[in-house]
Amino acid sequence: MFEYLAKRLLYAVPICITVSALCFSLVYLAPGDPLSAVLPADASQEIIDDVKAQYGLDKPVYVQYALWLGRAVTGDLGTSIGSGRPVAEEIGQAIVNSLILAAFASVVGFTIGSALGMIAGYHSGSTTDKMVSAIAISGVSVPHYWLGIVLVVIFSVKLNWLPAMGAGAGGSQAWQWDWEHMRFMILPAITLAAIPTGIITRSVRALVADTLSKEFVTALRAKGLTERTIFVHVVKNSAPTALSVVGVQLGYLMAGSILVETVFSWPGTGLLLNTAIFQRDIPLLQGTILVLALFFVGLNLLVDALQPLLDPRISRS
Amino acid sequence: MIVMTDERHGPVVEVPPAAASHGYWRGVFSRLAKDKTAIGCTVILTAIVLAAVFAPLIAPSDPSVGSVLKRLKPVGEPGFLLGSDELGRDMLTRLLYGGRMSLITGIVPVALALIIGGGLGTLAGYMGGWINSIVMRTTDVIFAFPSVLMAVAISGALGAGLENMLLALTIVLIPPIVRISESVTTQVRSLDFVEAARASGAGSLTIIRAHVLGNILGPIFVYSTSLLSVSIILASGLSFIGLGAKPPTPEWGLMLNALRTAIYSQPIIAALPGVMIFIVSLSFNLLSDSLRSAMDVQR
Amino acid sequence: MINPSIEAHGVPFLETTDLRKHFVSGGGLLSGKPRVVQAVSNISFHVDQGTTLGVVGESGCGKSTTARLLMGLIERDSGAVRIEGKDIGGPQGLDIKEARRQMQMVFQDSFASLNPRMTIETSIMFGPRVHKVSKSEARRRAHSLLDRVGLQPERFAARYPHELSGGQRQRVNIARALALEPRMLLLDEAVSALDKSVEAQVLNLLLDLKDEFGLTYLFISHDLNVVQYISDRVMVMYLGKVMEIGPVEDIYNTPSHPYTQALLKAMPSMDPTQRTESAPITGDPPSPINPPSGCRFHTRCPHAEDVCQLLEPQLTVTRPEHFVGCHMADIDSGHSKAGNG
């Protein structure tokens, strides 16, 4: 077990290094002199030289990368051109907001997805099953940025129940777990939950239907065990997969939040990315992508590590 | 059986047995012909593609000409069957023309990824050894990036624009296709008829051409159809946030964004471009599901 | 040590010495200790022109690996394979492509060994086409071979494998193997998956073809009855080693190795008085990953002594052309029963 974890950790090291190298190279993907991406257009020669030396841009690329990586490891991701604040600080605030949203969406997706999947799996082949399958495939097919707009039209414009955008009074700094703030989260979270709901419904449905068709279930029924006991078996068989799917989905939700956060102006990493792209704020872009990608790698690692604990059938020797 | 995880489908993608034959394909098509969902989706997609191709012939007006006086007319207004947009252009016309860009940006990356990723995956699967290691480990690293983030990062860094977006999407779609191709090829490669072909003294390229390709293209192709839906949504999404098509090009994602200001006055019109994306994406997904179950021999 | 492949009369058609293949899995940078499967460990044997060598043993004993090594489908770690004295892949020997023209293989799974997307005619023509035979000549050859294996070409040539029965498919596989006009066939469990009645027909076909084309066979099977029927000589393998090799009557009538004796006792007999009640050896063979030290059979051998654990027995000649890898067959081995049996 420990050996497996150690291996998995070791395996993540080259991935993290490559991920960071790819993030670093984004500067070079950007058209024009990387320096011009870091500096305002009207910078004086003095400032240019100063920044060049400060960022080590006069050195070879791999030295630059090493320096950048060294700073990134200590938490120094540079300074945002747009706001003039440290990138790390900007991200720190935004990632909390995104995490709140993604976690809420995951919980919604997991709950609805498991319930629907369970119902469909128990009634495999029935009309209910077909309807649930239709919902599930719609969930994975819907352009969620459009779903967000539709929800806003219904719940904000027509019904005026929920706010259309933002994160409540005081903006991004003043999040609180009260209704005044949480109502801002409902629409974006439901929008974000569409995809994981669809995926979890499909996986749980398949697992439950499969489990119920297994011989041991027939044997249990023949032995006169109650449906409740069988239900416990079904849950035990499908829960690990559903949980690992939701874990991986959390990572995708964080990373893919740019579209939904743009629709709702939710002050998270997605909105930050959007700002960084359109203000050509390369340090901010690099930093945000690095943090999100590492978060994703870390989360996958965690899911992999937890899976054998949840499901004893998966032995990783 | 292969279980793959990608962000829209989760671990439910299975590739049917690689071994297939002519009679088998006849069976697949006869099963598809009985599948109402598959027929419906094919009809819808064909109609949308034809409408996009022949947009200049069937569209009631010019997609780029509008009048400020005729802004945001409701659906059914005389001369505007589906209303008009924020610049007074006819929505029906723009939706028809918009299909061109949206379908191209959705399909081209999948096609490119299919050629590149399919080639790399087949090579890796057939050759094994260090070639396999290099290809597959590189794929792992790209896979470590969630696809939306990767697409946003590349097209964001390269700057907005169609070519950059196509490049970004292609790069994102290559890894899943490489994985599928590699694993299907590995399965076929271990079958005795490939051994028999090697035993007859044939070289690797001859064997891949004569014995491997015919048995792997089906499953890889079917898997790729499921990526069409992802690709359409992502492409329109990138245009939605301003990284793809540029105004005044009619493109569904871009139109959806431009019409966001209209959600208070003309909510139905504001939602229309998204409806198109949804229909196309859903049809591709359903068709892919039907194709997969028609190819599943166990049924 | 006496090398059983050294032949008194002339050069054998196929000869291999010290053939070895150990599969290594894992052992990458991150996967820790590699696992080594000792599939074939330094085996030597020969097959004379026009004869059949039967190879028997439990699954996992290295029979199939041996055939694949001979064909060059798997690369051997060490050892030599010679056709009529010429090394395959050696400096003055045969190249692998030429060797594959001389030697062809028929696999166990008749369905998996035919490309499902090719007509059987195309499958048979593939080999000759690879060897630059013209299309019309390849087709002529395919049709005449189909006819020869008992499938009328006009009815079967254009069919796909799934439209054929198992026995018919295996006939196609034999025709395909013969299409390159080889002089030897390696038959890897070629009749094992067939029904008993079909099996007999295919066996007789193989015997006829052998006479007609002057073929040499290496016949791998776990079925001792079939091996007895078709073979001139028999080789018994266990965990990648040769236990015993000799003329078929010798092996079946007076087996010297305890493993051969056990196998033969377990063989279903037609004679009710000869049937045994209990299985002479039980359980699965040990894993070839970490095979037992000394004699690989000692963990299941009723006669095992200390020497069997310590020393690996060498093949010893007991009767003309009959070699046994057992300490009991070697008078100097130190085994208490040495020289008695």
Side-chain angles (χ1 to χ4, degrees):
Chain A
M1 183 64 209
F2 263 115
E3 203 182 332
Y4 162 71
L5 282 182
K7 263 185 224 162
R8 204 60 195 73
L9 262 175
L10 224 62
Y11 190 62
V13 170
I15 289 189
C16 287
I17 291 175
T18 329
V19 162
S20 68
L22 284 173
C23 288
F24 174 74
S25 62
L26 286 178
V27 186
Y28 295 89
L29 274 183
D33 182 7
L35 203 58
S36 71
V38 186
L39 283 171
D42 56 351
S44 69
Q45 188 58 45
E46 201 180 319
I47 294 174
I48 292 176
D49 290 342
D50 195 34
V51 172
K52 235 182 190 169
Q54 185 194 333
Y55 281 87
L57 287 178
D58 42 356
K59 303 196 174 67
V61 178
Y62 58 89
V63 177
Q64 287 181 40
Y65 169 63
L67 287 172
W68 176 80
L69 191 63
R71 284 198 303 271
V73 167
T74 58
D76 175 11
L77 294 167
T79 310
S80 161
I81 296 164
S83 67
R85 294 173 55 209
V87 168
E89 222 171 89
E90 296 260 1
I91 296 173
Q93 189 57 52
I95 203 160
V96 173
N97 290 336
S98 281
L99 199 57
I100 291 172
L101 197 59
F104 192 74
S106 299
V107 171
V108 171
F110 181 74
T111 316
I112 301 179
S114 306
L116 286 178
M118 205 67 100
I119 293 168
Y122 256 96
H123 300 93
S124 176
S126 68
T127 319
T128 321
D129 180 24
K130 290 200 179 91
M131 272 170 60
V132 170
S133 296
I135 296 173
I137 201 159
S138 303
V140 294
S141 306
V142 73
H144 48 313
Y145 39 95
W146 170 75
L147 179 65
I149 293 174
V150 171
L151 289 177
V152 166
V153 166
I154 298 172
F155 293 98
S156 305
V157 179
K158 294 283 174 199
L159 299 171
N160 203 13
W161 286 357
L162 294 163
M165 51 176 57
S172 59
Q173 324 292 330
W175 177 262
Q176 274 170 1
W177 290 101
D178 56 17
W179 176 242
E180 256 329 291
H181 289 88
M182 280 174 73
R183 48 200 285 271
F184 282 85
M185 191 172 68
I186 294 175
L187 289 185
I190 290 176
T191 307
L192 214 49
I195 296 170
T197 304
I199 294 173
I200 292 166
T201 305
R202 291 175 74 153
S203 329
V204 170
R205 190 209 146 302
L207 277 165
V208 170
D210 187 51
T211 311
L212 286 175
S213 70
K214 285 272 164 58
E215 278 171 11
F216 79 87
V217 173
T218 321
L220 286 178
R221 286 206 170 117
K223 272 200 233 155
L225 272 114
T226 58
E227 283 302 316
R228 229 191 98 190
T229 325
I230 293 167
F231 181 74
V232 171
H233 269 281
V234 168
V235 171
K236 268 190 190 160
N237 268 289
S238 21
T241 311
L243 281 172
S244 68
V245 170
V246 86
V248 175
Q249 282 300 313
L250 181 66
Y252 281 119
L253 291 184
M254 289 288 289
S257 59
I258 180 165
L259 289 158
V260 169
E261 289 186 6
T262 305
V263 171
F264 290 97
S265 298
W266 181 265
T269 45
L271 202 62
L272 205 60
L273 262 185
N274 196 330
T275 316
I277 289 168
F278 291 101
Q279 297 185 347
R280 309 289 316 143
D281 194 339
I282 295 292
L284 188 58
L285 182 69
Q286 266 184 335
T288 314
I289 289 175
L290 179 70
V291 170
L292 286 179
L294 290 183
F295 179 83
F296 185 73
V297 172
L299 197 67
N300 275 312
L301 198 65
L302 193 69
V303 169
D304 271 8
L306 289 181
Q307 219 169 12
L309 295 180
L310 288 170
D311 189 352
R313 285 171 301 180
I314 305 171
S315 71
R316 316 255 190 170
S317 50
Chain B
M1 181 171 94
I2 305 139
V3 176
M4 282 228 11
T5 307
D6 78 60
E7 71 196 67
R8 277 183 174 267
H9 294 86
V12 287
V13 179
E14 293 159 20
V15 167
S21 63
H22 278 233
Y24 166 81
W25 282 110
R26 225 174 287 140
V28 169
F29 282 115
S30 78
R31 264 167 280 171
L32 274 182
K34 284 186 207 122
D35 186 338
K36 287 188 196 107
T37 316
I39 296 169
C41 292
T42 313
V43 169
I44 290 172
L45 287 172
T46 314
I48 291 176
V49 169
L50 288 179
V53 170
F54 296 108
L57 297 176
I58 51 174
S61 45
D62 189 308
S64 52
V65 174
S67 152
V68 191
L69 296 172
K70 294 171 183 161
R71 287 174 56 208
L72 294 171
K73 295 288 177 204
V75 171
E77 185 86 358
F80 298 101
L81 193 59
L82 290 177
S84 67
D85 73 358
E86 79 287 355
L87 295 173
R89 295 169 296 197
D90 178 45
M91 274 303 281
L92 176 60
T93 305
R94 292 195 45 92
L95 286 175
L96 290 173
Y97 274 93
R100 298 182 145 194
M101 191 57 82
S102 297
L103 288 170
I104 287 175
T105 53
I107 294 169
V108 167
V110 177
L112 291 177
L114 182 59
I115 295 168
I116 302 169
L120 282 173
T122 309
L123 191 73
Y126 188 80
M127 291 306 188
W130 62 271
I131 295 181
N132 183 292
S133 299
I134 289 178
V135 173
M136 297 320 288
R137 293 298 81 74
T138 313
T139 307
D140 284 351
V141 171
I142 304 181
F143 235 61
F145 273 96
S147 58
V148 180
L149 188 65
M150 184 82 170
V152 168
I154 295 172
S155 51
L158 288 172
L162 209 57
E163 297 84 3
N164 293 343
M165 181 179 86
L166 289 179
L167 178 70
L169 285 176
T170 308
I171 294 176
V172 165
L173 293 172
I174 286 175
I177 296 185
V178 168
R179 285 201 176 174
I180 284 288
S181 314
E182 191 258 356
S183 100
V184 182
T185 309
T186 311
Q187 286 173 38
V188 172
R189 186 200 132 91
S190 67
L191 292 175
D192 285 346
F193 69 80
V194 175
E195 291 266 275
R198 287 175 62 212
S200 68
S204 297
L205 280 178
T206 313
I207 295 175
I208 291 180
R209 191 173 47 74
H211 291 283
V212 177
L213 276 186
N215 288 295
I216 60 169
L217 284 181
I220 298 176
F221 182 76
V222 169
Y223 176 71
S224 302
T225 58
S226 75
L227 291 179
L228 283 170
S229 148
V230 178
S231 180
I232 290 264
I233 291 179
L234 262 182
S236 294
L238 288 177
S239 287
F240 177 78
I241 54 172
L243 282 174
K246 289 192 191 106
T249 316
E251 197 279 338
W252 294 336
L254 193 60
M255 289 162 71
L256 192 62
N257 190 33
L259 283 162
R260 275 172 69 197
T261 49
I263 54 170
Y264 292 96
S265 49
Q266 291 292 354
I268 293 181
I269 290 178
L272 275 178
V275 174
M276 295 307 294
I277 306 173
F278 187 30
I279 291 175
V280 171
S281 143
L282 186 62
S283 302
F284 274 133
N285 253 338
L286 287 170
L287 192 59
S288 172
D289 271 12
S290 294
L291 213 51
R292 196 174 6 243
S293 61
M295 284 180 73
D296 190 347
V297 191
Q298 272 105 52
R299 294 196 180 194
Chain C
M1 175 190 168
I2 298 164
N3 187 336
S5 72
I6 291 170
E7 186 57 26
H9 43 274
V11 184
F13 181 78
L14 176 81
E15 183 187 24
T16 180
T17 42
D18 290 328
L19 192 64
R20 192 175 89 136
K21 182 69 195 179
H22 290 182
F23 293 103
V24 182
S25 63
L29 189 60
L30 306 173
S31 8
K33 223 175 172 183
R35 289 148 36 98
V36 179
V37 178
Q38 305 193 3
V40 172
S41 295
N42 299 61
I43 65 168
S44 305
F45 62 88
H46 70 269
V47 192
D48 287 323
Q49 167 72 42
T51 67
T52 299
L53 174 68
V55 182
V56 295
E58 288 159 296
S59 54
C61 72
K63 297 175 300 207
S64 286
T65 307
T66 305
R68 282 170 165 77
L69 285 172
L70 295 175
M71 281 307 293
L73 291 175
I74 313 173
E75 215 154 312
R76 51 183 190 265
D77 295 342
S78 59
V81 181
R82 283 180 286 274
I83 291 181
E84 295 184 318
K86 281 178 280 202
D87 262 313
I88 298 177
Q92 257 114 54
L94 293 166
D95 69 7
I96 187 76
K97 196 168 172 178
E98 178 54 25
R100 284 171 174 169
R101 221 186 52 71
Q102 304 251 355
M103 222 170 14
Q104 278 290 298
M105 186 157 171
V106 178
F107 300 84
Q108 170 171 15
D109 187 338
S110 68
F111 192 64
S113 49
L114 289 170
N115 186 338
R117 303 177 59 77
M118 277 188 180
T119 61
I120 60 173
E121 177 188 62
T122 322
S123 276
I124 299 172
M125 284 165 65
F126 180 79
R129 294 292 291 142
V130 166
H131 287 266
K132 306 270 188 288
V133 173
S134 76
K135 204 166 190 164
S136 55
E137 164 61 15
R139 176 166 292 122
R140 194 200 56 75
R141 214 185 268 183
H143 284 226
S144 103
L145 280 168
L146 276 176
D147 193 43
R148 184 62 201 83
V149 297
L151 302 170
Q152 299 115 289
E154 53 278 13
R155 274 185 62 205
F156 288 93
R159 289 201 190 175
Y160 287 93
H162 70 277
E163 298 169 312
L164 269 57
S165 72
Q168 288 169 335
R169 276 197 298 266
Q170 206 55 306
R171 287 168 192 266
V172 173
N173 282 316
I174 292 166
R176 187 250 312 268
L178 291 174
L180 285 174
E181 300 179 337
R183 299 170 61 200
M184 177 165 187
L185 287 189
L186 310 183
L187 301 147
D188 183 7
E189 303 273 9
V191 297
S192 307
L194 304 176
D195 291 343
K196 276 293 155 202
S197 60
V198 181
E199 180 182 59
Q201 292 168 13
V202 175
L203 277 178
N204 286 330
L205 172 68
L206 285 171
L207 286 175
D208 292 347
L209 291 169
K210 186 179 160 208
D211 288 342
E212 185 174 336
F213 296 108
L215 295 168
T216 305
Y217 286 165
L218 181 84
F219 189 92
I220 296 171
S221 179
H222 63 273
D223 185 333
L224 292 153
N225 282 314
V226 169
V227 168
Q228 183 175 23
Y229 178 69
I230 201 165
S231 307
D232 301 302
R233 291 170 67 243
V234 173
M235 175 163 87
V236 182
M237 287 183 75
Y238 184 77
L239 290 179
K241 284 273 179 193
V242 175
M243 296 286 111
E244 185 165 10
I245 180 169
V248 63
E249 313 82 39
D250 258 18
I251 296 271
Y252 277 76
N253 296 334
T254 50
S256 305
H257 197 286
Y259 179 60
T260 317
Q261 290 164 358
L263 276 182
L264 290 171
K265 264 188 211 153
M267 183 175 157
S269 171
M270 291 299 133
D271 178 1
T273 60
Q274 294 287 306
R275 282 184 195 158
T276 48
E277 292 296 311
S278 59
I281 41 171
T282 50
D284 292 326
S287 159
I289 294 171
N290 286 310
S293 62
C295 173
R296 293 196 176 178
F297 186 58
H298 83 254
T299 52
R300 296 162 91 195
C301 182
H303 312 291
E305 293 183 2
D306 288 349
V307 63
C308 302
Q309 263 184 62
L310 293 171
L311 288 175
E312 190 179 328
Q314 304 295 334
L315 284 179
T316 314
V317 63
T318 53
R319 280 183 294 279
E321 297 236 6
H322 191 141
F323 300 83
V324 183
C326 176
H327 287 305
M328 293 193 291
D330 183 0
I331 299 169
D332 306 322
S333 69
H335 195 287
S336 62
K337 292 179 188 161
N340 299 344

